[in-house]
Amino acid sequence: MADKPVRADKATAVAELTEQFRSSSATLLTEYRGLTVAQLKELRRALGRETTYSVAKNTLAKRAATDAGISGLDDLFTGPTALAFVGGDPVEAAKGLRDFAKAHPLLVVKGGVFEGRPMSADDVKKLADLETREVLLAKLAGAMKASMSKAAATFQAPLAQAARLAAALQDKRSAEGGAEAASVEAEASTEA
């Protein structure tokens, strides 16, 4: 294929796809056979603003993936293929594809690429089952706050115990000192 001259419009399309492969955090491949234009428009809305969903010729997409340094996708480029280039959170895009595929069974998720590694369709489903980045960060922050509170309480406990011990010793000494003074007084009055 490298021996054949490439038309300018195809070279431009490959360059654009290559750039999208490189700049996206994840790329998800789907088969859209049987979906109407209105349904594809609905799918684009479901994926969000940071994800672009475009139909591409398999040969051009294969070449762009290879040019971008991505391997392992050749088997996925069969049939009518559309690519979801994810610029934001890959979990949200995977959830959007999963939910849309439940409502429209004609959409088939083939697999994708996440952080430069190929993913199977099952991997994309697992990704969709994860919670979003914001939820995971909130849980992490909550766990860290709870751990810090426990640590602070643990560090304060010995100081509080020492303060209570010092107060108890002082009370005991004052009680013993008062009893000792009374016994000294009683001895003095008995001798007198």
Side-chain angles (χ1 to χ4, degrees), residues 167-190:
L169 284 173
Q170 187 178 8
D171 290 344
K172 183 178 179 184
R173 283 189 184 157
S174 64
E176 285 178 357
E180 200 174 289
S183 66
V184 170
E185 245 178 59
E187 282 181 29
S189 61
T190 332

Side-chain angles (χ1 to χ4, degrees), residues 73-183:
L73 296 181
D74 291 344
D75 296 341
L76 301 178
F77 290 114
T78 57
T81 303
L83 305 163
F85 294 103
V86 183
D89 188 5
V91 174
E92 288 182 32
K95 283 180 190 285
L97 280 175
R98 178 197 61 195
D99 295 344
F100 190 85
K102 282 181 185 176
H104 303 88
L106 293 174
L107 180 73
V108 177
V109 178
K110 295 179 177 183
V113 178
F114 181 59
E115 294 181 349
R117 284 174 264 151
M119 296 173 46
S120 67
D122 290 335
D123 293 338
V124 175
K125 287 177 187 172
K126 288 176 188 173
L127 184 65
D129 291 338
L130 290 176
E131 293 174 339
T132 63
R133 182 177 187 273
E134 288 78 20
V135 171
L136 291 174
L137 287 174
K139 284 185 176 185
L140 178 65
M144 289 175 70
K145 182 180 176 188
S147 296
M148 294 298 228
S149 298
K150 286 180 185 176
T154 303
F155 291 137
Q156 286 180 338
L159 295 175
Q161 282 180 327
R164 285 193 299 271
L165 179 63
L169 284 173
Q170 187 178 8
D171 290 344
K172 183 178 179 184
R173 283 189 184 157
S174 64
E176 285 178 357
E180 200 174 289
S183 66

